[in-house]
Amino acid sequence: MFSRRTEWKLTPNRFTQAQRELQAAGREVLDLTISNPTRAELHYDAGTILQAFLNPEAMDYDPQPKGLRRGREAVAGYYRKQHDDVDPESIVLTTSTSEGYSYVFRLLCNGDDEILVPKPSYPLLEFLADLQDVKLVPYPLLYDHGWQIDFPSLYKAVNHRTRAVVVVHPNNPTGSFVADEERSALNQFCREYNLALIVDEVFLDYAHDGARRTTFAANRDVLTFTLSGLSKISGLPQMKLAWIVTSGPGEAVSAALARLEVIADTYLSMNAPIQLAAPVLLEQRHSIQPLLLDRVRANLSELDRGLAKQKTCGRLDLEGGWYAVLRVPVTQSDEDCAIEILRKVLVLVHPGHFYDFPSDGHLIVSLITPPGHFRKGLAQVLELLNQ
C-alpha cells in the first residue's frame, strides 16, 4: 500500500528506547544535546517579536511564488549588513531549510540521481533524499588538527549520475568552516563535472572567534544554492522562515530561478504574517546571537577545564556552531557508551554514529545547554568515563 521511499525502520533504536524507559520511570535526565534555543533559558524580546505579527496587511492574499518582496528584501538586507550584497530577486523564501533542500533536490535530480554529501554531518538529509528519490553518496571529512574535505575521495565518488555537492558551512556537528582554498577547489570540481553546489549556512554567524566568514551566497563561479533561515540566525525555530539564495553564472542562475519559481508556486507554502514580520524577526539576531555566542564560549571553556583535569577524554578542534565532539576511549560502541552514560548517571549525550562518524570513540554535546546543567552533566560524564 505504501511507497518504497517511506520504507524506513520505524521501531525505536536502543538509545531511544533507553530514553523512553527512564522517562516512563519518572527519572530526571540532564540533557546535554539541547538544540532548541527557545528552551535554553535565553532572554527573548517577546513583546517586539509578537507585535510584529499584528500587521493589517496580513489580511490581504498576495501570492508571490518566491515570497513577498518585503520578506526577500529583509533577507537581502541581512546579507548586505552581515556578509555581502545579494539581489532580492535571487532569493526564494521557504518555510524551512528542509523545504529548501527539497526544492533544490527536485530542481536538479531525476529519480535515483546522486548528490555528494559530507560525512560526518547532520542525518536529516537522508530522509529528505528518500522523499525526493535522490541517492546520497558520502564523501569524508578528514580530521588532522582540524577538519578538511577529502578531495581525492570526492573525485572517486563522482559519476554520470551526480548532480550536486552539499557542503555545510560550518559543518554540524564538527564546527568546521570551508576554508578559502577548499572553496576554490570545490568550484573547480563543480566546473569540471558540471555540478551545482548546495551550501547549508544555518550556523554561519556563530564563529567562535567572532570573525565573519565568507558566505557562499556571493559565489559566482558555479551554480550555487545557499540555504539558511531564522531558526539559527535569530534563534527562532518556531517562526518558520528560511530561504534559498541562488548565485553563479548568469544564464544558469536565470534558468534555475525560473524553475524554482514554478516549484514554489506549486506549493505556495509561505504565509503572509511571517513574511511581513521578517524585517523585525531578522533584527532580533542583534540581541540573540551575542547571548548564544556567550553561552557557547562559556560552555566550551567549562568543557576544556573539565578535560584538563583528566587524561582519558579530549575534544576535537572546532571553529563554529553549537556543538562539540568529545573523543572518548573505544571500549564499546558509541551507542553503548551513550546508553551507559544515560542509565548510570542520567545524562543525555549523542553517540557519534548519529552523525555518521566512521569509527567509534565520539560523543556529541550541545554548547547551548544552560550552564548549570552543562557543568553538572559534564562532570558526571567525565567521572564515569574515567573510572
Side-chain angles (χ1 to χ4, degrees):
M1 177 183 292
F2 302 111
S3 69
R4 288 189 299 275
R5 70 176 65 86
T6 61
E7 288 180 349
W8 302 304
K9 183 181 179 181
L10 299 178
T11 55
N13 57 42
R14 293 188 303 115
F15 182 68
T16 302
Q17 188 60 41
Q19 293 179 62
R20 292 179 179 178
E21 289 171 3
L22 290 172
Q23 184 179 28
R27 306 296 299 277
E28 185 175 348
V29 173
L30 282 174
D31 186 358
L32 298 192
T33 70
I34 183 170
S35 60
N36 180 355
T38 70
R39 301 283 179 87
E41 299 181 7
L42 300 166
H43 174 72
Y44 286 85
D45 185 356
T48 299
I49 292 170
L50 296 176
Q51 186 68 31
F53 291 96
L54 300 179
N55 190 330
E57 292 181 51
M59 296 304 297
D60 177 51
Y61 181 48
D62 182 16
Q64 297 183 26
K66 291 196 294 186
L68 295 178
R69 179 76 186 189
R70 184 180 303 181
R72 288 185 283 121
E73 286 180 345
V75 173
Y78 154 74
Y79 280 102
R80 184 171 57 254
K81 295 175 183 177
Q82 203 105 342
H83 298 289
D84 208 327
D85 283 340
V86 168
D87 184 353
E89 290 303 315
S90 71
I91 298 168
V92 175
L93 301 182
T94 64
T95 55
S96 63
T97 51
S98 297
E99 186 176 64
Y101 273 117
S102 297
Y103 283 12
V104 176
F105 286 178
R106 277 299 188 191
L107 170 71
L108 298 174
C109 297
N110 294 312
D112 294 325
D113 279 346
E114 299 180 358
I115 291 180
L116 305 178
V117 296
K119 180 179 180 178
S121 193
Y122 191 64
L124 174 67
L125 285 178
E126 295 178 14
F127 291 94
L128 295 174
D130 286 344
L131 290 172
Q132 306 303 324
D133 298 324
V134 171
K135 180 181 178 182
L136 299 184
V137 176
Y139 66 88
L141 303 179
L142 302 179
Y143 184 79
D144 183 11
H145 302 287
W147 294 91
Q148 298 90 33
I149 295 172
D150 182 0
F151 280 96
S153 293
L154 200 61
Y155 275 89
K156 289 179 182 178
V158 69
N159 62 47
H160 70 283
R161 302 303 300 267
T162 310
R163 295 293 177 263
V165 182
V166 170
V167 293
V168 186
H169 178 62
N171 184 273
N172 175 14
T174 68
S176 53
F177 287 95
V178 178
D180 289 342
E181 59 271 20
E182 291 178 318
R183 182 189 303 257
S184 298
L186 281 167
N187 282 331
Q188 179 180 338
F189 175 73
C190 289
R191 283 195 302 270
E192 186 174 346
Y193 291 97
N194 193 31
L195 306 178
L197 268 178
I198 305 170
V199 188
D200 186 327
E201 290 189 345
V202 295
F203 286 110
L204 182 63
D205 294 344
Y206 294 95
H208 296 172
D209 60 7
R212 290 184 178 180
R213 299 307 200 274
T214 304
T215 176
F216 276 84
N219 192 39
R220 303 284 184 259
D221 287 8
V222 299
L223 183 60
T224 304
F225 303 95
T226 303
L227 281 59
S228 193
L230 286 180
S231 179
K232 304 303 186 297
I233 285 177
S234 295
L236 293 169
Q238 77 279 33
M239 307 301 183
K240 305 304 292 182
L241 174 61
W243 54 83
I244 307 163
V245 180
T246 304
S247 61
E251 290 186 9
V253 168
S254 296
L257 283 171
R259 289 163 171 78
L260 278 174
E261 187 166 350
V262 174
I263 294 172
D265 192 31
T266 302
Y267 292 98
L268 285 176
S269 61
M270 287 300 300
N271 66 77
I274 195 74
Q275 295 183 74
L276 294 169
V280 172
L281 300 180
L282 278 165
E283 283 298 302
Q284 294 302 304
R285 72 185 187 276
H286 296 301
S287 58
I288 201 66
Q289 286 185 7
L291 297 180
L292 282 162
L293 278 167
D294 284 349
R295 173 73 58 83
V296 165
R297 291 164 180 154
N299 281 339
L300 189 58
S301 294
E302 181 65 32
L303 175 58
D304 287 341
R305 283 192 293 271
L307 292 172
K309 297 176 183 177
Q310 50 84 66
K311 298 182 179 180
T312 299
C313 305
R315 72 165 175 86
L316 304 188
D317 291 342
L318 69 162
E319 300 172 277
W322 295 355
Y323 301 93
V325 180
L326 303 186
R327 180 172 276 166
V328 300
V330 185
T331 58
Q332 56 190 324
S333 73
D334 285 353
E335 184 175 40
D336 287 334
C337 182
I339 290 173
E340 181 182 24
I341 291 169
L342 183 59
R343 287 180 169 156
K344 288 188 175 181
V345 297
L346 300 177
V347 177
L348 186 67
V349 297
H350 275 155
H353 82 85
F354 275 18
Y355 298 85
D356 281 334
F357 276 80
S359 60
D360 288 314
H362 303 94
L363 300 174
I364 288 82
V365 295
S366 167
L367 297 173
I368 68 167
T369 305
H373 291 173
F374 188 84
R375 187 180 307 111
K376 181 178 179 182
L378 176 66
Q380 293 173 344
V381 168
L382 292 179
E383 182 178 359
L384 176 64
L385 293 175
N386 277 273
Q387 288 179 355

